[in-house]
Amino acid sequence: MPAAVQADPAAIPTAAAAVATTAPVSEARVLAPATDRNASTRSLTAAGSRGRRRSTSGSASAAGSRTASPTGRRSTGPVARRNGPMRVAATVLLVPALVGTVALPAYAFLPGGHLPGGAPTKFSLSVAEAQALEVSDRAAGAAMSSDTFSVTTKAEIDAAAAEAAAAERAAWEAELASRGTGEYAIVTQQAEGDDYPWWYETPDDYGGGLSPLRYYYRECVDFVAWRLNRDAGVTGAPWKWDWSNLASGSAWKWADEWAAKGWPTSSEPVVGAVAWFPYNHVAYVQSVNGDGTVTIEEYNWNSDHSYHVRTIPIGEALYLYPPA
């Protein structure tokens, strides 16, 4: 067995030498409380051992990065962290959200679009360009006027049209009534009833012909012509009145033809007059009643070629007085 060689005490590093090699750490360690000296000694010894195991290039930087806190705990330097997928995803989602939140105005999240106090959040050009003006008392006291309009309803339009038509008709009838100042026949009222002598004949609608008065059988004009002849005392040929000297076959033209001959017309009825209606119809005035009505006799009212008796208000017809 070889002889043991006594180690040189100077070659063995002591705790003080280890502390000297890591000056920053050892200086901080010396500040530890005296009550924990044994623990500090053990920590310094372990630190010196680790310092010898590290490379020369990294030992100084690693030892310099470590500092001791006043309490004696060891503080380490920054530790590199790995960026995992979850961390990257969170960053991608959170960063735009934070930027968007900061960029949006605070009032965008207020209900009703108004700031506290009632100020609107929407921009108004008229409000922005408004100017504070002082109005004199003279201008403030001036009378104000405003334009108004009214809407005419359909009922009012129809009523106005009806009134205009009635006024036009009344004016026309009055004009007809003023025509003709000649004499007219005074007729005695006779018994009411159908005395038309050709009541059985076929009317024109079914192929019938002309009556002796040269109007179509059982038409309103033929019946009235018969009554005018009867009132004149003529009940057979030669006839006093017929198509050639009375009026045409169209009842619509009788009022104008009456006036053209100078025969009087009026809005006041007389017995024996012709009641003329603007809807192409004529009738015979049988009586004038005291209640504002007249009784008329007629043929072919409602186009049935039959005899009728009606009582109507005086104002419904224009009256053509019987010619003398």
Side-chain angles (χ1 to χ4, degrees):
M1 171 177 255
V5 180
Q6 187 174 3
D8 188 1
I12 299 174
T14 62
V19 170
T21 59
T22 57
V25 176
S26 62
E27 291 175 1
R29 300 288 184 177
V30 173
L31 299 176
T35 58
D36 198 15
R37 288 181 178 180
N38 294 331
S40 300
T41 303
R42 289 192 298 270
S43 177
L44 291 173
T45 303
S49 301
R50 286 194 299 271
R52 288 192 299 270
R53 288 193 298 268
R54 292 178 181 175
S55 61
T56 303
S57 61
S59 61
S61 61
S65 64
R66 294 184 179 90
T67 58
S69 63
T71 59
R73 296 182 181 178
R74 184 171 55 120
S75 175
T76 61
V79 178
R81 296 183 179 179
R82 299 170 59 186
N83 294 330
M86 295 299 295
R87 189 180 300 277
V88 174
T91 302
V92 171
L93 294 176
L94 291 176
V95 170
L98 291 175
V99 173
T101 302
V102 173
L104 289 175
Y107 57 77
F109 300 97
L110 295 177
H114 287 78
L115 294 172
T121 59
K122 295 182 179 179
F123 176 76
S124 175
L125 181 61
S126 61
V127 174
E129 294 183 349
Q131 300 179 6
L133 300 177
E134 294 183 0
V135 181
S136 65
D137 295 338
R138 180 179 299 179
M144 298 181 61
S145 63
S146 59
D147 296 333
T148 59
F149 65 93
S150 60
V151 178
T152 305
T153 63
K154 183 180 183 303
E156 292 174 341
I157 294 174
D158 293 342
E163 290 178 2
E168 182 180 358
R169 176 184 172 185
W172 180 71
E173 291 177 352
E175 195 273 333
L176 288 177
S178 65
R179 298 177 183 178
T181 57
E183 296 181 354
Y184 62 92
I186 304 299
V187 177
T188 302
Q189 182 176 341
Q190 300 191 29
E192 178 183 305
D194 185 8
D195 58 356
Y196 179 64
W198 306 290
W199 59 269
Y200 54 88
E201 294 289 348
T202 302
D204 177 57
D205 295 350
Y206 301 96
L210 298 175
S211 76
L213 303 179
R214 302 173 67 182
Y215 297 104
Y216 284 108
Y217 285 118
R218 296 164 63 179
E219 293 286 344
C220 64
V221 289
D222 196 50
F223 173 77
V224 172
W226 155 254
R227 281 294 178 89
L228 293 177
N229 278 282
R230 185 203 67 175
D231 291 347
V234 178
T235 56
W239 304 99
K240 182 176 182 178
W241 306 111
D242 63 8
W243 173 85
S244 63
N245 61 357
L246 185 62
S248 66
S250 172
W252 170 257
K253 297 180 180 180
W254 276 38
D256 288 337
E257 292 176 349
W258 225 261
K261 293 180 171 63
W263 297 341
T265 62
S266 175
S267 57
E268 295 295 328
V270 295
V271 174
V274 178
W276 179 87
F277 300 92
Y279 48 83
N280 196 26
H281 184 65
V282 289
Y284 176 82
V285 177
Q286 196 274 336
S287 64
V288 179
N289 307 317
D291 57 356
T293 63
V294 294
T295 300
I296 59 174
E297 296 176 277
E298 60 198 342
Y299 252 74
N300 200 32
W301 185 60
N302 291 333
S303 301
D304 59 0
H305 300 284
S306 300
Y307 170 80
H308 297 277
V309 177
R310 288 190 295 151
T311 299
I312 62 170
I314 290 177
E316 284 194 4
L318 178 68
Y319 301 98
L320 316 181
Y321 287 6

